[in-house]
Amino acid sequence: MAKSETSVGSEDPSSSRPWESYHTVFTNAKAGMEGVDKEKVQRIVYEMSKGSKYFENEEKKEAYTKQKIENMRIQYSKLTAQDISHHQKIADKRILELEATRDLSRIWLHVDMDAFYAAVETLCNPSLKGRPMAVGSMSMLSTANYEARKFGVRAAMPGFIARKLCPELLFVPVDFQKYNHYSNLTRKVFQKYDPNFLASSLDEAYLDITSVCKERGITGGEVAEELRESVHLETGLTCSAGVAPNRLLAKVCSDINKPNGQFVLPNDRSAVVTFISSLPIRKIGGIGKVTERILKDVFGIATCEEMLQKSSFLCGLFSRSSADFFLSIGLGLGGTDTPQYRMRKSISNERTFSATEDEAFLFQKLVDLSEMLSADMKKEGLFGRTLTLKLKTASFEVRSRAVTLPSYISSSEEILKHASKLLKAEFPVSLRLMGLRMSHFSEDKNGIPPDPTQKTLSNFILSGDASGGKTSDYRPLVSDVCDNTFSVDENCCPTYCAETSCDLHDSSMENQASDSTYSCHVIGNINEELNESVVPQSSEPQPKVHEPTDTDHTIKSDKFDSYVGQLEASSCDRWEAGVNCANDEAGSVSDQKQLFLWVDNYKCPICGIELPPSFIEERQEHSDFHLAEKLQDEESGNHHRSFMPQQRAARRGHTGSSSRQKKKQKPSPTASKYVPIDAFFVKTNQNF
């Protein structure tokens, strides 16, 4: 098919067939679409999409892809003969190293259910058999049966385009509860052949059948045929299978004889090399539309064998990891070892719907997603701290908003509460997709639960000191204004609840200028109480303590000012000047600005966590955490522990000599020794 150099869908006067340059996921062939008139499908998709938000977004992506290709061509043209010779030597060395890792001792089987969702619906409703049918709606299809694929209808295609391609198409709504049930039935069969099988989705799995073949003295093809029959007997559904020496090739093989078929690639190097040599690069998992175009348009690579032929250019213009990936494909290498169990990093779900601005509808979708996410987490016994909201707008812009919570949660109520705040910060907005993801689970990478007694900065502020004694009976000042405005818990800091929009300038809040004023006022009160608290006296004999003079305080104050200046100078690109929340005018609005600037007013410049501007308390807590972390590092390495408390005391007017006898402090630990945050505050509190 001819390639047009115009932007996607642009009406070039010299071209009478603009759809030929329009390539989207809708026009990609799937199993069962071999005999489809591709040009007809491409033309209808182009005509139905033209002028839509999706079309405009595709044009933007196409322009970006073309710019990327042009940049790569420029780099390609700059390679000299000497450069190519140098990179060829590197490529040859890498090919030899990769070839040495080839393992032909394992037998892997990839099983893929045939049009899974559609097959389940047909099984439950036999009247759909033999008729073109798709699971989904007019806005988006989840899958289509093989009768519908003959017309060019496929998954991830809008229903209205599918109806144009196939006027007799039947739509069936999605029912994930039903699909999960049948997926569990298939997995019971898989466990008989490999208890540690790898499930990549509801309808796909990788099985290591090496031991089964050896124990029973049968071939991989016989195991595949037996497994397919067992799945059919157990569920009434059909599946396709691929058998190969590694997982990458097994997945390719399972797609060759779909539906209800199988393909076996022998565990022989020559057979693997022959098979991979003529294989189109798009058949390989991990090579998508953009990568395929770059490899074709810049390097002229269309098959996997050509990866090795152009290895010098791949090593010269791509990163080490990308080049290794391409060379491995050219050699037909893939994963052969059974991956060790790893605690999952995240769990998520999302749903697509017609673009809408209806807030009630969007909140209802959020409720559904929260319940589904909570159910999935409880099923696996997970508790998470970082909640991410994924949104796709009507213009196909993808947004991601995340918040890290003070405690681990799994209930749908907690998830919904925090997700609602993230969503509310985006209004007004028109959305067509919404998703929720939970990460940062309660077990660390070694599977060891975190210490439940480990204190946080929030615990310290509310409880008074790290030893556990409360400095005051803390009560929110706005409890009479709205029950939901602030929620106070012994295990977390006051959290602003975005579900309410109460006016903080009520009669009970006359002395509070804003949310931030209220926060700093509370912290100021705590600081006052800490300054007035009496340090416990040790029963051991106390050494004679030098009584501080005005000169001593002046010297220490100068040292502290120098220390703060160094702290600010080392982070001048992120931190705003001044850490002065505990001065004589702590309640003024001008002193309430955040400790550092948020990138695009959303993202933390230090750790990358995203918090909308409406998350006032959470953002303040987050900045406090980074400040304490920074101070702790400085204290551990530079022994400046006594400077900040003295400066605070000086700012409060205590410049004269003190009659209070202070306990002798222990020397600061070495920089190599970890200092818990609560231990840091226990020591610094003694100077208040």
Side-chain angles (χ1 to χ4, degrees), residues 108-119:
W108 280 91
L109 183 149
H110 179 262
V111 57
D112 187 3
M113 304 300 295
D114 299 323
F116 183 56
Y117 295 174

Side-chain angles (χ1 to χ4, degrees), residues 134 141 153-154 157-167 169 171:
L141 302 182
V153 178
R154 55 155 294 160
M157 175 179 283
F160 63 89
I161 294 180
R163 177 61 63 83
K164 182 71 174 180
L165 292 169
C166 179
L169 184 67
F171 292 95

